[in-house]
Amino acid sequence: EVRLVESGGGLVQAGGSLRLSCAVSGFSFEDYAIAWFRQAPGTEREGVACLSFSDRRIYYADSVKGRFTISSDNAKTTVYLQMNSLRPEDTAVYYCAADYRPNSSGTDYGPAYYFDAGAWPNWGQGTQVTVSS
């Protein structure tokens, strides 16, 4: 059974940093993709960052490029989202998601392919991030 558990959210002032963690169990990272999404009240869930383990490509939403970094530990049991220079508009519930997405051909599908929230079958429970101004 695929299980994802997020942690690391909290309240931080604008300009501050947080590191979110997504503890993963029930599958091997090989040929999987792990993504972070966020959802603010009254908005749709949006893709923030994605790491494709099949081809090691990383994608970021334009709104977080240069500020957020997605990574994994060497044991491949945890995926992180380092968030720097946080802004009030980053306030949301952050979710990690996992899906089996092999890419032996190395095709660059682009961020739109990975940031379609409806296409991801496995989700964590979410962690709240609040950035005060």
Side-chain angles (χ1 to χ4, degrees):
E1 177 186 3
V2 173
R3 189 162 182 256
L4 307 166
V5 180
E6 303 96 333
S7 61
L11 173 64
V12 64
Q13 289 188 332
S17 298
L18 282 174
R19 188 176 81 159
L20 305 183
S21 298
C22 175
V24 176
S25 61
F27 66 95
S28 172
F29 278 17
E30 184 177 0
D31 287 338
Y32 266 73
I34 307 290
W36 285 95
F37 288 79
R38 67 186 181 187
Q39 188 169 22
T43 69
E44 294 187 354
R45 194 166 295 189
E46 64 171 348
V48 174
C50 178
L51 174 57
S52 170
F53 286 91
S54 182
D55 56 9
R56 300 302 298 182
R57 282 195 171 93
I58 291 176
Y59 300 95
Y60 294 101
D62 289 342
S63 58
V64 306
K65 280 180 182 176
R67 300 188 299 123
F68 290 13
T69 303
I70 188 171
S71 64
S72 68
D73 63 348
N74 289 334
K76 294 186 179 179
T77 59
T78 305
V79 173
Y80 303 100
L81 185 68
Q82 178 66 43
M83 306 187 295
N84 299 328
S85 302
L86 283 162
R87 306 166 180 168
E89 53 264 39
D90 295 318
T91 295
V93 177
Y94 284 70
Y95 301 88
C96 63
D99 193 17
Y100 180 69
R101 299 208 179 188
N103 187 11
S104 59
S105 67
T107 301
D108 184 357
Y109 292 104
Y113 171 73
Y114 290 98
F115 288 161
D116 176 5
W120 292 76
N122 303 293
W123 293 86
Q125 82 288 351
T127 185
Q128 176 70 47
V129 171
T130 302
V131 184
S132 63
S133 58

